[in-house]
Amino acid sequence: MALKVKTQTAIPTGRYEIVISFSDRFKKMLPLLLDVPAFAGIRIHPGNTDENTEGCLLTGKTKSPDMVGNSRVAFTALFDKIKAALQREKIFITVK
């Protein structure tokens, strides 16, 4: 496994369980990916560019080579779906 280099390495491809927990960094409840090798605290949250993440997954409705747009709108819709799904079953995300 390659070493994690802050702001330079992406999370490994794989299938990860998602839970919702309190983020000390963002001071609110957010989706969290579990058991990501060599990473801790990988969350799904709004953001537009690589400057808004240190490995977390950003949401967006539009995209260009260096950014995603309408991130908060996309996050709200996704977070509502995640919360509803977690009431019925475990959920997972596949990173390719």
Side-chain angles (χ1 to χ4, degrees), residues 21-24 26-30 43 46 72 75:
S21 66
F22 186 78
S23 166
D24 289 329
F26 293 99
K27 305 296 184 214
K28 61 183 173 181
M29 302 296 281
L30 289 172
R43 296 197 177 268
R72 291 187 193 283
F75 175 78

Side-chain angles (χ1 to χ4, degrees), residues 7 21 33 43 46 51 65 70 74 84:
T7 72
S21 66
L33 280 64
R43 296 197 177 268
E51 293 177 6
N70 297 317

